[in-house]
Amino acid sequence: MFSRRTFLGGAAAGATALSLAACGSSGGSAADSGEEITSLKIMAPLLSDTAPDPAGKLQKAVEELVGMPLEITWVPNSSYSDRVTVTMASDNIPHVMVHTGKSAEFAQTAQAGGYWDLTDVLGDYPNLTPENEEVAHGASINGKTYGIFRLRDAMRAAVVIRKDWLEKLGLEEPTTTDDLQEIAKAFTEGDPNGDGSATTGLIIPAWSGYGNNGPYDLWETWHGTANVWKEEGGKLSPAFLAPEFLDANRSMRAMVEAGHVNADFATMDAATWNDPFFTGKGGIIADVSSRGGQLMGLFKDEDPEGYGDKVTMVGNLTNPDGTLWALPTPGYSGYLTIPRSSVPSEKQLATVLTALDKLSSEEGQRLLNNGLEGVNYTVEDGQSVAIDSEEANVVSSDVSAFAQIGSQSNGYLGYPSQPPGKPEAALDEKRLAFHESDLTKAVFNPGAAYMSETYLQSGAILDQIVVDARLKYLAGQLDEAGLTAELERWTSSGGQQVIDEMNELFQKGGQ
């Protein structure tokens, strides 16, 4: 599921920049003396329970590729952001530090000189040169590149649907938002289980935040609402102040009032999002396409023979007039950054970038994302197939950690995993096709690169005004006049200053 990012510029609010004194800490003997870096120090989040063995086969293979030992500090993901803050204020700063997002703290530290500005440097390293300029610009901070972004799929949106319910009711897969509304109505009123049990159409959990690719954002984009910021006449304005935002939520509210959305949409735990779909209580989820695979896996566990008849997916939906506005992700998840205090010279910088360039080569990407061919996987038809052995399981576990230090900003060069069965393969083929098609109609956020100082300080409060107003309107607690009044309160509560600052940066190109 998509992360709950805050929206204007993707920065978390309320953080204070680290002091320049902290950024000037020594970071090790090589930094003190200007000596050559002969052992690369990295700090990265650990998403699994077990950190890789420094003497393990995978780490040794990676070290051989980059031509030097690696000293990796693996930090549990749950405490990673706090550890970053503490580390940057210490005298033991690594040469490469993973940042998991464009936080206020990261942006302020970078602009204060804490990290190398790589804007004019990455072009010298072919495997660090961004493949997608739109994503690279959005990952920048006011037009400057302070880290190598970690590539993620730029298009992930999907509508996951109970395939057996469509067939039971004689319905076709949706292509428009009107189609989806009709299917939601049929799923609610048409007894798709055939036993008279209560069902609903669209399943939506409690969703915090705005502009983080949630189900409401998808619905608004499909109805022509811009992605967070709207550019018109060379100026930026918040997308939620445009009439399309109200039009989209007017139709969503009609679905809620008709009972075609789960009644507990404002309070349902997102961790249980799959449950109504799997248990036959709801039939539609608008989220990321990986959820379709998760749900198929649940049905496979229950019925290894008939699971392929339960789940289907389509991509972004067209407006009733036939126009497609597809909602992309930011296309990245944080950065690999190089602190200036631990890498003070350009020669040392070149050493670090050369190592990272090797990691993003085809060989490097396959080590980080697949592992060791012949040890934990084999290749069939251009896809990786897992080997089942004790040794293979250790390497595969290490891969889940090492993937966090890869960037792939030059495009993904690893092997895709082979689906475990024919139904999964068919669903995956369909997913790849509609994602590729939808990407040609992607509506990127024109303000993604820019960081308003007012928003850095007050963004959480401003965000909540929008989130609460939308939810109250959908729940019938506000009428349209009340919704408009709340959004205008956003403007008068500091939002206008955010707009002014964003436009000043936008006009200057972030410089």
Side-chain angles (χ1 to χ4, degrees), residues 68-213:
M68 70 176 76
L70 301 178
E71 298 178 45
I72 306 177
T73 301
W74 299 104
V75 179
N77 191 55
S78 59
S79 59
Y80 189 73
S81 60
D82 291 338
R83 183 68 172 273
V84 169
T85 302
V86 171
T87 299
M88 285 299 292
S90 74
D91 59 359
N92 187 25
I93 300 175
H95 303 121
V96 177
M97 181 176 288
V98 174
H99 281 268
T100 57
K102 191 194 289 186
S103 68
E105 183 176 76
F106 167 64
Q108 292 170 331
T109 303
Q111 291 183 303
Y115 302 104
W116 275 95
D117 179 352
L118 304 175
T119 308
D120 300 322
V121 177
L122 294 184
D124 296 333
Y125 300 87
N127 297 320
L128 301 180
T129 301
E131 178 189 49
N132 189 315
E133 288 299 329
E134 192 85 47
V135 172
H137 179 67
S140 73
I141 298 175
N142 299 333
K144 294 289 187 179
T145 300
Y146 293 101
I148 304 159
F149 69 80
R150 302 191 302 166
L151 181 73
R152 297 295 184 267
D153 290 337
M155 187 59 64
R156 299 181 68 200
V159 183
V160 188
I161 309 169
R162 283 289 299 253
K163 182 180 180 181
D164 54 335
W165 286 14
L166 288 176
E167 294 175 354
K168 173 77 173 179
L169 300 177
L171 300 170
E172 299 293 327
E173 294 180 354
T175 59
T176 72
T177 53
D178 280 353
D179 292 342
L180 190 69
Q181 288 175 287
E182 289 301 315
I183 292 171
K185 178 180 179 181
F187 280 4
T188 305
E189 302 174 5
D191 191 21
N193 285 318
D195 59 5
S197 59
T199 55
T200 191
L202 182 61
I203 309 164
I204 301 177
W207 194 274
S208 60
Y210 168 79
N212 53 14
N213 295 76

Side-chain angles (χ1 to χ4, degrees), residues 40-58:
L40 189 65
K41 298 179 180 179
I42 302 173
M43 191 171 95
L46 181 67
L47 277 62
S48 57
D49 294 331
T50 306
D53 181 353
K57 285 189 174 182
L58 184 59

Side-chain angles (χ1 to χ4, degrees), residues 294-313:
Q294 293 175 13
L295 287 160
M296 182 170 279
L298 293 176
F299 285 110
K300 186 174 185 177
D301 291 341
E302 181 183 62
D303 180 8
E305 300 298 325
Y307 71 96
D309 298 328
K310 300 294 187 181
V311 181
T312 189
M313 289 191 299

